[in-house]
Amino acid sequence: MDCVFCKIVSGEIPSKKVYEDEQVIAFYDLEPQAPVHVLIVPKVHIESVLGVNETNSAVIAHVFEVAAKLAVELGVSQDGFRVVTNIGDNAGQTVKHIHFHLLGGRKLGREA
Ligand code: AMP
Ligand code: ZN
């Protein structure tokens, strides 16, 4: 499948990895929008929130466990941070493999 995040999961495309376990991988965004900008990505290919169902939803809960751990490790848990997932064109989803942006290290505005 021609999916950039599946290729990062398989190691075919390199990434600046900050965390990995059997269910998820987390790496620095290529075009950071904040001093801390990490993507947390389930290894399984789910297109977006619209593809989450009874069978695969456990990994989404796990994403938030990892987000909490990384926020502490990356030093943004005290001041606050954001976890965001974009769905579809109006939200600006460019990679059609579900991912969660962890953003922090500055005051974030109401928009993105
Ligand atoms: P979204 O707009 O929510 O689909 O976000 C996709 C994000 O993936 C963007 O912030 C891109 O900068 C980031 N991105 C795309 N390709 C890579 C890559 N190879 N390594 C790291 N980040 C990437
Ligand atoms: Zn994929």
Side-chain angles (χ1 to χ4, degrees):
M1 196 190 306
D2 198 26
C3 169
V4 62
F5 288 174
C6 280
K7 287 179 179 167
I8 286 176
V9 167
S10 71
E12 201 179 319
I13 291 178
S15 66
K16 222 172 131 195
K17 212 183 294 178
V18 284
Y19 179 83
E20 183 171 17
D21 62 28
E22 63 288 342
Q23 294 185 76
V24 304
I25 187 169
F27 50 88
Y28 285 101
D29 197 291
L30 269 187
E31 294 177 39
Q33 306 298 312
V36 171
H37 188 173
V38 164
L39 299 175
I40 307 171
V41 181
K43 288 186 170 180
V44 62
H45 183 93
I46 300 169
E47 271 216 13
S48 76
V49 166
L50 291 171
V52 176
N53 57 42
E54 225 172 50
T55 309
N56 61 21
S57 61
V59 71
I60 306 301
H62 187 60
V63 162
F64 282 89
E65 279 180 54
V66 171
K69 195 183 329 214
L70 286 179
V72 171
E73 278 177 25
L74 299 172
V76 297
S77 61
Q78 296 280 335
D79 288 345
F81 61 101
R82 188 170 286 163
V83 179
V84 186
T85 188
N86 295 316
I87 301 115
D89 292 343
N90 273 2
Q93 184 183 7
T94 57
V95 179
K96 308 293 194 225
H97 178 135
I98 196 168
H99 54 280
F100 295 79
H101 299 257
L102 191 165
L103 297 149
R106 67 166 167 84
K107 186 94 179 158
L108 299 164
R110 303 292 297 175
E111 284 290 318

